[in-house]
Amino acid sequence: GGSQQQSALTNFVRVLARGRPVTLVKACAYDPFVERRLAKMQLQKNLKTLTIVSADINITLSVCDITEVYTVEADGQEQFPKEIVKHLTPTEIDSLARVFHKLPDGRVMACCLLEARPKWRKLLLLTLKALIKRAMKQDRRAKEGGLTAAALDAANAAAGPQDKLMLQRGFLPLGGEQA
């Protein structure tokens, strides 16, 4: 039911806040290689910033700047670069997720991740979509009410830990260029 999904998402947010290992996948200039980089995906405690960090890659993005999240399971292989898909095993293809995000200059970039566990992949998709919706709602409220970002941060800081981790109701259903 809905409360089970709510509980699973809340727990996944806690896992992401501690940091979750993922594998970044990137096409190489030299065919037939695909780089796989072990990385840590972490949601900052304000629930507004997501980082994906490996030894030599540091992606920091505002949840508001995430424009779409795809998985092969929900959206099909067509949403993923052929130059990556053709070099992956069938198991890796099934574990692909792709996160699109806006850069400050307006361009949209994407990163591809491998998340081997189907349950975690589904929770990642649902959590990111819920956080995007939540962040956009907060952004809209701040603009409409004339609240500053500092006032929102103060309100968030005053909220109890359960309030901070509680995601908004009404989760979106499961349904660029390569960075």
Side-chain angles (χ1 to χ4, degrees):
S3 69
Q4 267 187 327
Q5 184 181 40
Q6 177 73 32
S7 177
L9 287 169
T10 300
N11 288 335
F12 190 73
V13 167
R14 287 184 180 125
V15 168
L16 269 183
R18 288 192 299 266
R20 170 111 183 99
V22 294
T23 302
L24 278 170
V25 185
K26 186 177 178 189
C28 292
Y30 308 103
D31 248 16
F33 298 107
V34 170
E35 290 181 48
R36 292 165 182 82
R37 301 281 171 90
L38 288 177
K40 180 179 179 182
M41 178 186 290
Q42 187 166 17
L43 180 65
Q44 301 308 306
K45 290 188 182 7
N46 65 8
L47 304 183
K48 295 178 185 175
T49 307
L50 187 71
T51 59
I52 303 169
V53 180
S54 74
D56 60 344
I57 296 172
N58 186 347
I59 302 169
T60 300
L61 46 117
S62 166
V63 170
C64 285
D65 291 335
I66 297 173
T67 59
E68 192 55 73
V69 183
Y70 293 119
T71 64
V72 170
E73 191 174 41
D75 305 295
Q77 286 186 31
E78 309 77 51
Q79 302 299 335
F80 296 85
K82 287 179 181 66
E83 64 271 13
I84 287 180
V85 173
K86 72 180 179 184
H87 298 301
L88 299 178
T89 68
T91 302
E92 286 176 322
I93 290 170
D94 289 343
S95 70
L96 264 176
R98 191 173 189 195
V99 179
F100 285 85
H101 56 95
K102 281 186 296 193
L103 297 175
D105 64 9
R107 289 181 300 144
V108 176
M109 298 294 282
C111 59
C112 287
L113 310 167
L114 294 177
E115 174 51 77
R117 294 173 60 192
K119 175 184 170 188
W120 290 104
R121 205 168 40 253
K122 182 178 178 182
L123 285 170
L124 175 64
L125 183 66
L126 285 170
T127 300
L128 288 178
K129 287 187 176 190
L131 288 169
I132 293 164
K133 187 175 179 180
R134 177 185 183 273
M136 289 170 88
K137 197 180 284 188
Q138 282 184 339
D139 228 30
R140 197 169 50 250
R141 276 194 208 129
K143 286 177 183 147
E144 289 168 1
L147 289 175
T148 63
L152 267 179
D153 289 342
N156 283 333
Q162 193 57 35
D163 297 330
K164 289 179 187 175
L165 289 174
M166 187 75 182
L167 296 173
Q168 298 294 323
R169 289 188 193 121
F171 296 105
L172 299 180
L174 281 172
E177 288 299 304
Q178 179 61 28

